[in-house]
Amino acid sequence: MALPLKPPIEPQLARGKPDLPLGEEWAYEPKYDGFRAIAFVDGDEVVLQSRGSKPLGRYFPELAFPSGRYILDGEIIIDGPVDGSGDQQDFGALQQRIHPAESRIKMLAEQTPARYIAFDLLAVDDELIIDQPLSHRRARLEALALDGIALTPLSRDPDDCEEW
């Protein structure tokens, strides 16, 4: 890979707060019940790295990333039933994917497919943008328009976040 960052890299982690911080400098995103994953994409080659710097790609063969040269920060989730509890991801099904048997992983990939939700862009082509403000990185992420990759909702209005 010839990207400006190479795995492993340590992701920034969110910290819990009893109340939402307020002010124009804040942006809000939902929290997902999944596996944090950094996607290094160089052409058709993809390396998925866990929060703990472990490779994840073999466990999620159904995840497809458009060809290009970029690094995303996001979450791998498996959608669960929407039952009104606010729990819309199936973390138990996700945990079952970390299994030594390739045949089991393949079967589960078909039965309970995972998807990747991006919330940050760290680099594009040879340009490292990790030190740019979030507003700049988010605009660049949206401009990439990566087919098949969902973007997390983002709002600067705390009232929009009640359901999150």
Side-chain angles (χ1 to χ4, degrees):
M1 291 196 142
L3 295 167
L5 287 173
K6 306 227 180 310
I9 62 172
E10 204 170 308
Q12 284 189 325
L13 300 177
R15 292 185 302 255
K17 298 275 186 191
D19 297 309
L20 284 178
L22 301 175
E24 291 182 15
E25 71 275 15
W26 293 100
Y28 310 98
E29 300 170 333
K31 185 206 178 299
Y32 296 96
D33 198 8
F35 290 160
R36 180 75 172 271
I38 298 175
F40 298 83
V41 180
D42 190 1
D44 292 327
E45 183 181 359
V46 177
V47 172
L48 283 175
Q49 174 204 301
S50 75
R51 167 181 164 171
S53 301
K54 304 283 189 228
L56 289 173
R58 77 175 292 272
Y59 303 112
F60 301 98
E62 73 277 26
L63 294 181
F65 292 82
S67 184
R69 295 186 65 242
Y70 53 91
I71 303 171
L72 300 174
D73 194 355
E75 195 94 0
I76 299 170
I77 67 163
I78 292 178
D79 292 315
V82 179
D83 60 6
S85 69
D87 190 14
Q88 298 179 357
Q89 292 92 47
D90 189 343
F91 191 71
L94 196 66
Q95 288 179 308
Q96 291 179 30
R97 298 295 287 281
I98 308 302
H99 195 279
E102 187 175 342
S103 60
R104 180 165 173 78
I105 292 168
K106 185 177 179 182
M107 176 193 71
L108 291 173
E110 292 174 10
Q111 291 177 356
T112 54
R115 62 190 184 103
Y116 188 86
I117 300 175
F119 49 78
D120 204 353
L121 179 66
L122 309 180
V124 179
D125 296 322
D126 293 325
E127 184 182 3
L128 188 60
I129 63 171
I130 197 168
D131 292 329
Q132 297 293 318
L134 174 62
S135 58
H136 175 79
R137 296 190 319 266
R138 179 63 186 219
R140 296 283 303 271
L141 176 59
E142 291 172 1
L144 279 179
L146 299 168
D147 288 338
I149 303 296
L151 299 185
T152 189
L154 180 131
S155 176
R156 295 204 174 272
D157 183 349
D159 292 336
D160 291 344
C161 308
E162 289 300 319
E163 66 184 66
W164 301 339

